[in-house]
């Protein structure tokens, strides 16, 4: 992670298409400062130098990856019978009342509340 020399914000990688060449630049979203991304080299134990291009530094995650950062619990879905669901809590009533726990089936995406 690198930071802007002018304002100290985090630099984000962006593609720069100039002179019919595509290169990777680090750009500050605040002050638009640009810094060329240096081509880093990795030297193996046998002495050979391996050069990495800009595309090897950018990770693209599409919808097909289906990353889930929510906690899961084992509970039976009333709609499809699956036994795993994502869980989260929301304060739906007053602050002196307990929060409501919602569950979403990992198979059919049916959302339901836990009966208390």
């Amino acid at each position: 992670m690198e930071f802007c020399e002018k304002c100290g914000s985090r630099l984000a990688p962006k593609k720069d298409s100039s002179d019919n060449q595509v290169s990777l630049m680090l750009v500050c979203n605040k002050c638009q400062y640009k810094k060329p991304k240096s081509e880093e080299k990795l030297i193996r134990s046998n002495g050979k130098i391996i050069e990495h291009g800009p595309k090897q530094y950018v990770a693209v995650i599409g919808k097909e990856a289906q990353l889930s950062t929510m906690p899961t619990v084992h509970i039976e879905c009333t709609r499809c019978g699956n036994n795993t669901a994502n869980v989260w809590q929301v304060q739906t009533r007053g602050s002196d009342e307990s929060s409501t726990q919602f569950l979403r089936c990992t198979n059919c995406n049916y959302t339901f509340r836990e009966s208390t």
Side-chain angles (χ1 to χ4, degrees):
M1 185 178 301
E2 294 189 42
F3 298 93
C4 179
E5 294 174 5
K6 292 182 179 180
C7 68
S9 295
R10 186 177 61 87
L11 297 176
K14 303 269 179 170
K15 286 184 183 178
D16 184 36
S17 302
S18 58
D19 301 329
N20 294 330
Q21 291 183 343
V22 177
S23 61
L24 188 63
M25 302 286 288
L26 295 173
V27 180
C28 177
N29 290 330
K30 243 184 190 178
C31 69
Q32 303 306 315
Y33 169 77
K34 290 183 180 182
K35 178 182 177 183
K37 177 73 175 157
S38 62
E39 297 281 333
E40 295 179 18
K41 297 179 180 179
L42 176 66
I43 301 175
R44 286 194 174 169
S45 60
N46 61 4
K48 291 184 180 179
I49 297 175
I50 302 169
E51 294 186 23
H52 296 283
K55 286 191 176 184
Q56 292 171 308
Y57 290 106
V58 179
V60 178
I61 300 173
K63 288 182 180 178
E64 59 276 355
Q66 292 185 0
L67 296 176
S68 178
T69 58
M70 296 180 73
T72 57
V73 294
H74 292 288
I75 189 168
E76 187 174 340
C77 174
T78 57
R79 191 172 275 177
C80 73
N82 183 34
N83 66 349
T84 307
N86 293 324
V87 63
W88 70 95
Q89 293 183 353
V90 178
Q91 189 72 37
T92 55
R93 298 181 291 262
S95 61
D96 59 336
E97 301 281 334
S98 61
S99 12
T100 305
Q101 185 163 323
F102 290 93
L103 300 114
R104 179 171 294 141
C105 176
T106 57
N107 184 43
C108 68
N109 287 328
Y110 176 62
T111 303
F112 55 98
R113 296 178 189 197
E114 183 178 63
S115 301
T116 54

